[in-house]
């Protein structure tokens, strides 16, 4: 499948990889980090992205960028996208197609039919693990099963994702490769950033900041965060609350904050270019996802030495071990979430131990250099198949 290209031989042609991606957000950040650390002597990276992406961010880390319309939901609008993707595959003539996220994965694999390019698919979290009605879930599983034979390899971003693929009989186990997510540790801000950002946001020095980073959508549980914050504010009035992100539920979250009487204590930043700078202000970092394929922000919290309270769901316990490097709470439980936040705030010594354990773990396990290296090994493997 595809042209045979040797890697590691500087006299040989570079391996051309066409990355196809529809969903932005965490996938965008993941992809930019990965592309930055892939060896430019060996790889030529092309990006075919939906119009959700700001291609200016890929200048200097991609050899070529292409933008087309792609839609999140399945509809007849996908046909023009499919035609354009197929045309770009033929024109680009990649050695490897690397499809990121469920929708791009479906379109890329269908567009590749009859062209026979080596194809890697990374769902970045299985769609069938979302909370949805049983009928829709069965449809998602069926789609993944039908399209699985069109991928040479399927990358899982956690062991949970691999186990989920196996239990739902998505594909043969030999197709699955686990490459856990990682972050760019070189971009961790220094400690001075905390003071600068707190002043910018208008926080007073003695105020305690409870924060979360994530899309304002049902999956990420911003409503659980707001309801938890109300309970924390009742116990510790000096707290302030910060949501770094944006999304379709922004207005409903603002209304919930008003209803809970904490709107004046809450800041929602919208999408920002430098989320780590905002994380620097947190005294407690939260992630109350209802489902989660990985949770890229968790290693970022760990690297920023922020005590974590997160939901005990899906892949999160692979990263956050309860009472070791953070606290885990049940899904959809603002009472337990608030109690965990208050417990950490009231025990400085325990908080310090948790933070130091997390810092050591992130340095060992979640460096983007490891992610890039494991991808390079995978690329070598599929080229030889």
């Amino acid at each position: 499948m595809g042209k045979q290209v040797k890697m590691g031989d500087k006299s040989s042609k570079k391996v051309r990889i066409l990355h196809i991606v529809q969903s932005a957000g965490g996938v965008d950040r993941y992809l930019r980090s990965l592309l930055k650390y892939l060896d430019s002597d060996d790889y030529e990276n092309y990006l075919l992205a939906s119009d959700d992406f700001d291609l200016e961010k890929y200048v200097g880390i991609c050899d070529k960028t292409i933008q087309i319309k792609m839609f999140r939901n399945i509809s007849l609008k996908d046909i023009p996208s499919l035609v354009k993707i197929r045309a770009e595959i033929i024109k680009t003539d990649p050695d490897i197609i690397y499809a990121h996220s469920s929708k791009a994965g479906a379109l890329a694999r269908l567009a590749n039919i009859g062209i026979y390019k080596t194809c890697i698919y990374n769902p970045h979290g299985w769609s069938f693990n979302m909370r949805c009605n049983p009928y829709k879930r069965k449809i998602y599983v069926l789609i993944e099963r039908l399209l699985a034979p069109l991928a040479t390899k399927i990358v899982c971003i956690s062991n949970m994702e691999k186990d989920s693929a196996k239990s739902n009989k998505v594909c043969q186990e030999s197709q699955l490769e686990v490459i856990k997510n990682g972050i760019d540790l070189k971009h961790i801000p220094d400690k001075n950033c905390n003071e600068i950002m707190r002043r910018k946001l208008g926080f007073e020095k003695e105020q305690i900041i409870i924060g979360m980073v994530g899309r304002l959508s049902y999956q990420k549980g911003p409503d659980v965060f707001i309801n938890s914050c109300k309970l924390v504010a009742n116990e510790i009035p000096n707290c302030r609350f910060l949501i770094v992100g944006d999304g379709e539920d922004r207005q409903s979250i603002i209304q919930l904050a008003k209803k809970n009487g904490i709107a004046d204590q809450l800041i929602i930043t919208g999408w920002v270019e430098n989320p780590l700078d905002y994380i620097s202000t947190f005294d407690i970092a939260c992630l109350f996802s209802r489902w989660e394929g990985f949770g890229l922000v968790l290693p970022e919290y760990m690297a920023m030495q922020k005590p974590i309270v997160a939901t005990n769901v899906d892949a999160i316990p692979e990263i956050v071990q309860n009472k070791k490097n953070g606290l885990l709470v049940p899904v959809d439980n603002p009472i337990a979430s608030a109690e965990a936040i208050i417990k950490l705030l009231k025990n400085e010594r325990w908080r310090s131990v948790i933070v130091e354990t997390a810092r050591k773990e992130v340095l060992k396990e979640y460096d983007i250099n490891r992610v890039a290296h494991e991808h390079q090994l995978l690329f070598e493997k599929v080229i030889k198949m």
Side-chain angles (χ1 to χ4, degrees), residues 233-296:
N234 291 340
E235 180 82 14
I236 308 174
N238 200 34
C239 284
R240 295 297 181 267
F241 311 107
L242 179 60
I243 297 178
V244 182
D246 212 332
E248 59 269 25
D249 290 349
R250 182 184 182 117
Q251 289 308 313
S252 65
I253 292 304
I254 291 172
Q255 290 305 313
L256 182 60
K258 288 178 179 177
K259 180 182 175 182
N260 284 346
I262 61 167
D264 292 341
Q265 296 166 263
L266 172 70
I267 294 176
I268 300 175
T269 66
W271 294 122
V272 298
E273 287 299 311
N274 52 338
L276 294 178
D277 291 352
Y278 290 83
I279 292 171
S280 74
T281 68
F282 293 3
D283 292 291
I284 303 290
C286 303
L287 183 65
F288 296 142
S289 300
R290 291 180 164 98
W291 65 88
E292 194 64 69
F294 185 84
L296 191 60

Side-chain angles (χ1 to χ4, degrees), residues 91-102:
K91 180 180 177 182
T92 302
D93 190 26
D95 302 294
I96 298 170
I97 297 169
Y98 193 173
H100 301 265
S101 72
S102 299

Side-chain angles (χ1 to χ4, degrees), residues 143-160:
I143 290 171
E144 292 293 357
R145 285 176 182 170
L146 290 173
L147 296 180
L150 302 179
T152 308
K153 287 287 183 179
I154 297 174
V155 174
C156 299
I157 55 176
S158 66
N159 289 316
M160 184 282 299

Side-chain angles (χ1 to χ4, degrees), residues 146-193:
L146 290 173
L147 296 180
L150 302 179
T152 308
K153 287 287 183 179
I154 297 174
V155 174
C156 299
I157 55 176
S158 66
N159 289 316
M160 184 282 299
E161 289 287 296
K162 180 178 180 179
D163 292 341
S164 184
K166 288 163 59 179
S167 64
N168 284 281
K169 298 179 172 59
V170 168
C171 62
Q172 296 184 12
E173 187 174 354
S174 59
Q175 272 185 281
L176 300 170
E177 295 277 341
V178 176
I179 302 180
K180 292 185 180 182
N181 281 357
I183 61 171
D184 189 350
L185 294 171
K186 290 181 180 178
H187 282 181
I188 302 302
D190 62 35
K191 292 184 178 180
N192 292 329
C193 182

